[in-house]
Amino acid sequence: VLGGLLVYGGATAIQLGIAALVLFTLVAAWCSDTLCGLVLDVFTLPPLAALLLFAISEKQWMMLVAAAVAFAPFAVAAMLSRGMGMGWGDAKLVAITGAALGLPLAVLVLAAACAAAAILHRLLRGKASPIAFAPYIAAFTALALPLTLGSP
């Protein structure tokens, strides 16, 4: 469905390739976090490296900036919680979100994902259990992809 929306929106072949890479990462991270409680490096590092190499080769400097801006607060949270609250897999996943969506959309999407995770977790489970955050990041990023990649 997302691929169809991107094609309908006039996405280029490169944009469709980026979307496919990002969507694979989102689905893998969602499943990994839900089943194992963490986002494995194998699902985040290769796609992030590919996006960053693409950004450098195409001189898309704002992709790098957006990835860094999205990554920074989550990296601080991962560092402060020592992986017991926010993990490094989540931080790398939001860097992918930043690179794929750009600024300011990535910031808005990630803020909405944080709010939804907090609200739904509180309503459904209470505050004593851990939150699998990757599904929220994945869902909100996937919903926002057609807004940014669907326009040439």
Side-chain angles (χ1 to χ4, degrees):
V1 171
L2 285 173
L5 287 172
L6 291 170
V7 169
Y8 180 76
T12 65
I14 289 175
Q15 289 172 322
L16 290 173
I18 290 171
L21 178 68
V22 170
L23 289 172
F24 163 79
T25 302
L26 296 175
V27 170
W30 181 318
C31 293
S32 174
D33 199 17
T34 302
L35 296 174
C36 303
L38 49 104
V39 179
L40 302 174
D41 284 346
V42 70
F43 299 134
T44 56
L45 286 179
L48 181 58
L51 285 173
L52 297 180
L53 287 172
F54 169 78
I56 292 167
S57 70
E58 295 294 316
K59 296 181 173 78
Q60 296 287 328
W61 308 122
M62 286 309 295
M63 278 181 83
L64 298 174
V65 170
V69 167
F71 176 76
F74 290 88
V76 170
M79 190 176 359
L80 293 176
S81 71
R82 294 188 173 105
M84 297 306 293
M86 176 67 59
W88 287 103
D90 294 318
K92 290 176 274 192
L93 187 61
V94 299
I96 293 168
T97 295
L101 299 181
L103 295 175
L105 184 58
V107 173
L108 295 172
V109 163
L110 293 170
C114 288
I119 292 167
L120 288 174
H121 183 72
R122 179 94 171 168
L123 291 174
L124 298 176
R125 291 196 182 129
K127 58 183 174 181
S129 61
I131 299 173
F133 189 46
Y136 296 94
I137 298 168
F140 280 78
T141 301
L143 290 173
L145 270 176
L147 299 176
T148 187
L149 294 178
S151 55

